[in-house]
Amino acid sequence: MSLTSNRIKPQKNGRFLLLTFLIALGSAAIVFVPFIIYNGGVFYYYGDFNVQEIPFYQMIHSQVRDGDIGWNHLTDLGTDTLASYSFYLMGSPFFWMTIPFPNEIVPNLIGPLLILKFACAAGAAYIYLQRYVNNKYIAVLGGLLYAFSGFSIYNVFFFHFHEPMIVFPLLLAAFDSFLYDKRRGLLAVAVFAACIVNYYFFVGQALFVLMYYLMLCFTKTYRFRIKEFLVLAFEVVVGFCATAFLLLPSVLGLMGNPRLDELPKNWDSLVYSKPQRYWLIVLSFLFPSDIPAIPVFTPESNCKWASVAGWLPLLGVTGAIGYLQLKKRDWLKKFILLLILFAMIPVLNSMFQLLNSSIFYARWYYMLVLMFVLASLRAIEDREVDWPRAISWSTGLTVGATLFIGVMPKEVVNEDGTKDYSIGVQSSPERFWLYAMMAMLSITAFVLIYKKFWHRRGFYVLIISGTLGVALVSSLLIIGNGVFVSGTTDSIKSHIINARDKIDIDDLEEVRSDFYEDVDNTSMFWRVPSINCFQSSVNTSIMQFYDKVGITRDVASRPNYSAYGLRTLLSCKYFFDDMYDSNNPDFDECFTDKDGNTKMPGWKYLKTCNGFKIYENENYVPMGFAYDSYITEEEFDRLRNTSRPEAILNAMVLTRSQMKKYPEITGYYDKQYYLLYGGNPSSFHSEVDDYAYGSKVLKDQSDKLRARSCSSFKYTKTGFEAEFENDGKETLLFFSVPYSSGFSATVNGEKVDIEKVNYGFMAVRVPSGDSKIVFTYETPGFFWGCIISIFSAALFAGYLILLKILKIRKKKLRLQDFELHSELVTLE
């Protein structure tokens, strides 16, 4: 296919872009404003949206306004702000739009920002699609299809997923402009924007653009030129390197995260272990999007948060099928088939997330959706498309899937062991048949528009109106379902959001608290330190510590009641229990049993504030304390996992080299550890073999550690500082702050080494007598990232200047040629 038949020259007319934006803005407002009003001015959804997106925005907003974007002691046990939140919001222009506003109203801005994101997504899609259509109203339709696609509605749950949806079409538009319009400089800016917005999604976008480019070259849609390729590569590299100020700290901060280190292997790389996933992939384009965490179509596919969604309102897959059935073989047809292949093979699917296969995600489907939209638009303008055939296929697939799932017999095992049978293998018959009805009504509406108005006057108005009608109805039903099933909204509204002042505890900001079994990230709403956190990209030392003490830490830190000693180690002073109902208590979730006894030893009731029963830890040890015993990691590894959270209170765990480094403190000498390291470790007797556990031992050990704890401790904007009165000999002072190479420390003004101890925390050597300890934090990689970004920006500026010079020179040469030609004509 020739280049001219593949693309249409874009019109320099912004009114269609403005029309797309305004229609999407108004439509999104119709979807979200009723729920904003219903919940008193804040858009609450459910799950991650309520307990991650809202508190993340409000907490980081507060820190940025305070000029505190280094060490974040409010996220889990402590983490780097840039590294942990660049995935969520640090690169988002929508987040930075909130900075001028007061912190209290940030939750009220979430809904309007979401509406704006939908409008921007539609506008961005229009900018890309308008190149490929003759009638710009069709491009308007494409923008709306993309913005209100199943992927977009599904991922309202993940508030930060819409930024990549916005920037991706712009990246493709800039790429097309580079290839076809010979515009220079725009691609580098687009690459920068795509990477800075979200580095995780950029990995998939980079792979997609590479495949896109190769497909254009291999199908001879675009003729490869080595010089042009080198310029293209330069723009991509310089745009990417310019993001180093944010990207480099993020990469360094995530290295070692266990969620990122599992590569594809075995048959699981070739075939999905859950067969229902194949059905789900197909169904996601036939039916309106499911909602995360509550799957209805394939409840056993283990894809609750995988973002498997892609349905297009009104058109569904009809347009894409019509285009794929055309006899001509162009790049788009082949590319869509290739993308479908990638979706169906696990190892290929994982390439969109840098071959990470620790969990199945389809978070690149918005790219496939955009190609489906493009195919649908091309089909509408192509008079060779056999629409009756495409409609038959689309209807047949939808009806067939509905009947297979909806009437398939299902075996049900009763509590007494007997078996019954029901009709339908879906999880919720009501929701399933509602989705099926919406899909069929959508096809019906398209058929009516096709039969009555195909390529007639008013067709474009009707198909846009029909798309909006279907999108609004389906979106309202789906979003409404999530809003009304939320189990966290009432608690957040009534006594969490902007409610810190209602908790009458003076030192709450100075100590850690426990919110186990409460609404996730309650502490972030109040901006107080906590041992609980629902955030997956935290400091990797936290992950390492929990792994070593036998506690699962994947997406959240939620140490259960059995790890009662951990609260003392982590200097946790208060426990908040908001699950207690005096009329109908749920004793499985609340902190006390039926007899009123707390589920962890050493906690006493303090007071009730704002719906929370608050308990105080009688075994609380202030932050910063000294041990009187030290063991090696090999000794600690001898313990059972169930004993480790309490055992780590008895002795500081060091590496062998650290034991050797401080022999006057640890008492280490080689002869003592000869058996352990000499090939007969089973004969070595360690003090860990004699450890005893229980509430009495916990109290005694807590008293001992408290007696050797810091007299003062406070967090600062650059780290933290403490004072320690050491009545004994020099020692190692332990802080349960996650280790990071970004920390430096001084004791009484002199720089000291920071040791990584207890599998993830920090300790420094302090002399006898009074000491002032100061820890200062600088984000690892930020300085050099800024240097790289500045150099890249300077290089890009030089590139633009060179382009301008060449353009002027070329213009002068053309003018000279014209003048010379004019003189020759005159002479003749």
Side-chain angles (χ1 to χ4, degrees):
M1 180 177 289
S2 67
L3 177 60
T4 55
S5 62
N6 172 64
R7 64 184 183 90
I8 307 298
K9 180 77 172 176
Q11 296 178 359
K12 295 181 179 180
N13 191 338
R15 67 188 183 95
F16 288 101
L17 172 60
L18 180 61
L19 178 66
T20 307
F21 179 86
L22 292 177
I23 292 175
L25 187 71
S27 301
I30 292 173
V31 173
F32 294 106
V33 168
F35 300 116
I36 295 174
I37 296 173
Y38 173 79
N39 277 314
V42 177
F43 177 72
Y44 295 102
Y45 197 32
Y46 77 107
D48 292 20
F49 188 95
N50 286 358
V51 301
Q52 283 197 324
E53 311 297 349
I54 296 176
F56 288 0
Y57 254 65
Q58 193 170 25
M59 178 185 66
I60 301 301
H61 175 276
S62 175
Q63 288 195 239
V64 170
R65 283 172 63 97
D66 289 342
D68 183 12
I69 57 171
W71 185 254
N72 185 324
H73 65 275
L74 301 177
T75 299
D76 211 300
L77 304 176
T79 194
D80 181 87
T81 300
L82 290 180
S84 293
Y85 288 96
S86 55
F87 170 70
Y88 294 97
L89 50 80
M90 291 304 291
S92 168
F94 297 93
F95 166 73
W96 292 99
M97 289 169 61
T98 69
I99 298 302
F101 295 90
N103 187 260
E104 307 81 55
I105 71 168
V106 168
N108 302 87
L109 300 176
I110 297 295
L113 287 177
L114 191 56
I115 294 170
L116 182 60
K117 287 184 183 185
F118 271 74
C120 290
Y126 171 86
I127 290 173
Y128 169 68
L129 296 168
Q130 54 95 30
R131 175 183 295 274
Y132 295 94
V133 296
N134 291 297
N135 191 305
K136 299 307 175 186
Y137 284 108
I138 296 298
V140 174
L141 170 66
L144 298 175
L145 286 170
Y146 179 72
F148 292 92
S149 65
F151 186 92
S152 183
I153 299 301
Y154 179 106
N155 287 295
V156 167
F157 187 81
F158 301 108
F159 183 68
H160 56 292
F161 280 20
H162 286 82
E163 282 90 331
M165 282 193 68
I166 295 167
V167 76
F168 172 66
L170 299 178
L171 177 63
L172 288 186
F175 192 79
D176 281 351
S177 183
F178 181 94
L179 297 182
Y180 303 138
D181 304 330
K182 310 306 177 186
R183 290 190 64 183
R184 302 296 180 249
L186 191 60
L187 180 59
V189 175
V191 169
F192 172 83
C195 187
I196 208 71
V197 158
N198 192 296
Y199 59 84
Y200 169 85
F201 283 90
F202 179 73
V203 171
Q205 291 170 0
L207 173 63
F208 185 97
V209 171
L210 177 61
M211 295 167 60
Y212 183 83
Y213 179 64
L214 292 176
M215 183 61 67
L216 293 177
C217 292
F218 288 152
T219 57
K220 298 182 179 180
T221 305
Y222 164 78
R223 199 175 87 182
F224 177 82
R225 300 176 181 86
I226 185 63
K227 289 184 179 179
E228 196 165 70
F229 172 76
L230 293 176
V231 176
L232 185 152
F234 170 81
E235 289 207 15
V236 170
V237 171
V238 77
F240 175 74
C241 289
T243 68
F245 73 95
L246 186 61
L247 182 64
L248 187 57
S250 301
V251 171
L252 293 176
L254 290 174
M255 289 177 63
N257 190 312
R259 300 189 74 205
L260 305 176
D261 59 3
E262 187 171 334
L263 296 175
K265 57 183 178 295
N266 304 328
W267 268 99
D268 286 343
S269 301
L270 304 176
V271 181
Y272 289 118
S273 58
K274 301 286 185 180
Q276 289 187 19
R277 286 182 188 171
Y278 292 103
W279 274 86
L280 180 59
I281 292 170
V282 176
L283 295 172
S284 66
F285 290 91
L286 297 177
F287 296 93
S289 67
D290 215 338
I291 59 175
I294 315 175
V296 63
F297 293 102
T298 56
E300 297 174 6
S301 60
N302 193 23
C303 297
K304 287 185 176 182
W305 299 278
S307 301
V308 188
W311 182 70
L312 302 181
L314 187 70
L315 288 177
V317 295
T318 306
I321 289 175
Y323 191 79
L324 292 175
Q325 288 177 341
L326 289 172
K327 292 182 180 180
K328 55 187 175 185
R329 300 179 178 179
D330 70 345
W331 71 270
L332 179 59
K333 185 175 181 179
K334 294 178 180 179
F335 194 39
I336 287 176
L337 294 175
L338 179 62
L339 292 174
I340 292 173
L341 178 67
F342 268 66
M344 292 297 181
I345 300 178
V347 66
L348 298 181
N349 181 78
S350 69
M351 290 178 66
F352 286 98
Q353 50 185 10
L354 211 61
L355 290 175
N356 176 32
S357 61
S358 60
I359 190 169
F360 169 72
Y361 282 140
R363 293 177 174 174
W364 62 276
Y365 276 18
Y366 65 98
M367 298 186 269
L368 179 55
V369 165
L370 186 60
M371 295 299 102
F372 270 41
V373 170
L374 176 56
S376 299
L377 303 190
R378 297 285 290 271
I380 289 173
E381 289 199 329
D382 196 320
R383 294 185 178 273
E384 295 182 11
V385 172
D386 188 346
W387 283 104
R389 184 185 178 196
I391 292 169
S392 297
W393 270 95
S394 177
T395 305
L397 288 171
T398 305
V399 172
T402 300
L403 294 177
F404 270 124
I405 296 173
V407 302
M408 182 67 65
K410 178 181 179 181
E411 184 180 84
V412 180
V413 180
N414 300 316
E415 292 182 0
D416 59 1
T418 61
K419 296 180 180 179
D420 286 331
Y421 290 89
S422 63
I423 298 299
V425 293
Q426 69 279 357
S427 63
S428 170
E430 296 80 8
R431 287 174 53 221
F432 171 77
W433 289 108
L434 178 62
Y435 287 140
M437 181 180 68
M438 285 192 291
M440 291 308 303
L441 288 177
S442 180
I443 294 175
T444 303
F446 177 76
V447 171
L448 291 175
I449 295 172
Y450 166 75
K451 289 288 187 182
K452 296 289 185 180
F453 299 95
W454 191 249
H455 290 303
R456 295 182 184 178
R457 187 173 182 178
F459 167 72
Y460 298 117
V461 173
L462 275 173
I463 196 168
I464 290 174
S465 300
T467 297
L468 284 177
V470 172
L472 291 177
V473 171
S474 59
S475 299
L476 282 166
L477 289 172
I478 294 166
I479 300 300
N481 191 10
V483 168
F484 293 118
V485 301
S486 173
T488 59
T489 299
D490 289 341
S491 294
I492 294 173
K493 285 171 58 179
S494 61
H495 58 272
I496 295 179
I497 198 165
N498 292 329
R500 164 62 185 95
D501 293 340
K502 297 179 181 179
I503 306 298
D504 185 20
I505 298 178
D506 293 335
D507 64 345
L508 195 58
E509 282 81 9
E510 301 167 13
V511 299
R512 287 183 179 139
S513 298
D514 189 351
F515 294 85
Y516 183 61
E517 296 287 9
D518 292 351
V519 172
D520 280 322
N521 292 332
T522 296
S523 62
M524 289 189 187
F525 281 102
W526 296 347
R527 293 181 287 288
V528 299
S530 172
I531 67 169
N532 313 106
C533 177
F534 178 28
Q535 215 264 41
S536 56
S537 56
V538 297
N539 185 290
T540 54
S541 292
I542 298 172
M543 308 281 193
Q544 295 164 8
F545 167 72
Y546 277 117
D547 178 62
K548 280 298 182 180
V549 295
I551 296 175
T552 300
R553 206 297 178 191
D554 40 27
V555 298
S557 294
R558 302 185 184 109
N560 58 31
Y561 296 133
S562 64
Y564 54 86
L566 212 59
R567 274 73 178 177
T568 297
L569 178 79
L570 302 179
S571 299
C572 178
K573 187 174 183 179
Y574 300 109
F575 184 97
F576 286 78
D577 184 10
D578 75 340
M579 308 304 293
Y580 187 86
D581 184 342
S582 58
N583 297 318
N584 185 27
D586 185 348
F587 292 109
D588 290 334
E589 295 184 337
C590 69
F591 189 46
T592 54
D593 59 24
K594 294 179 180 180
D595 299 323
N597 299 314
T598 59
K599 293 182 178 178
M600 291 189 295
W603 291 83
K604 66 177 182 180
Y605 172 74
L606 182 64
K607 63 174 70 176
T608 297
C609 290
N610 195 33
F612 288 90
K613 294 177 74 71
I614 306 173
Y615 298 82
E616 185 173 359
N617 187 4
E618 295 179 304
N619 296 315
Y620 166 71
V621 176
M623 180 77 78
F625 55 83
Y627 287 85
D628 59 8
S629 181
Y630 304 86
I631 59 173
T632 65
E633 291 180 345
E634 289 79 6
E635 291 178 87
F636 189 79
D637 288 343
R638 297 160 71 119
L639 295 166
R640 296 173 302 159
N641 281 350
T642 54
S643 305
R644 292 183 177 187
E646 283 67 58
I648 204 165
L649 287 171
N650 290 273
M652 184 184 292
V653 183
L654 304 172
T655 64
R656 187 185 185 189
S657 61
Q658 288 172 327
M659 295 282 279
K660 285 185 173 183
K661 184 177 180 180
Y662 304 101
E664 67 279 10
I665 296 175
T666 63
Y668 176 90
Y669 57 96
D670 288 329
K671 186 176 180 181
Q672 177 188 8
Y673 284 87
Y674 173 78
L675 291 175
L676 180 61
Y677 296 107
N680 191 17
S682 59
S683 300
F684 175 78
H685 181 79
S686 170
E687 66 178 79
V688 303
D689 301 329
D690 302 324
Y691 284 163
Y693 309 102
S695 58
K696 178 64 169 62
V697 176
L698 174 63
K699 183 180 185 308
D700 292 342
Q701 190 61 27
S702 301
D703 291 342
K704 188 186 300 184
L705 295 175
R706 191 182 305 112
R708 301 194 67 197
S709 64
C710 287
S711 56
S712 72
F713 175 90
K714 68 176 181 180
Y715 292 104
T716 65
K717 288 186 177 182
T718 57
F720 60 91
E721 58 185 46
E723 294 180 354
F724 181 63
E725 299 172 1
N726 186 9
D727 296 332
K729 62 178 183 178
E730 63 178 0
T731 186
L732 289 174
L733 191 63
F734 169 78
F735 294 93
S736 58
V737 176
Y739 176 86
S740 171
S741 60
F743 275 108
S744 59
T746 61
V747 175
N748 295 329
E750 295 184 6
K751 189 173 182 179
V752 294
D753 292 339
I754 299 176
E755 303 295 339
K756 184 176 182 179
V757 303
N758 286 355
Y759 294 105
F761 299 113
M762 297 189 291
V764 292
R765 183 176 187 168
V766 294
S768 60
D770 296 347
S771 296
K772 182 175 182 180
I773 304 97
V774 177
F775 277 72
T776 304
Y777 185 77
E778 293 182 4
T779 299
F782 181 66
F783 173 79
W784 287 109
C786 288
I787 295 297
I788 296 171
S789 294
I790 292 170
F791 176 78
S792 300
L795 196 62
F796 181 61
Y799 168 71
L800 293 179
I801 292 171
L802 178 62
L803 289 176
K804 187 68 175 177
I805 293 173
L806 292 175
K807 185 177 180 180
I808 294 173
R809 183 180 177 186
K810 190 175 182 180
K811 187 176 181 180
K812 285 183 178 180
L813 289 174
R814 257 200 248 117
L815 182 61
Q816 290 175 358
D817 290 342
F818 175 77
E819 291 174 348
L820 179 61
H821 178 72
S822 299
E823 291 176 1
L824 291 174
V825 170
T826 302
L827 290 173
E828 291 176 357

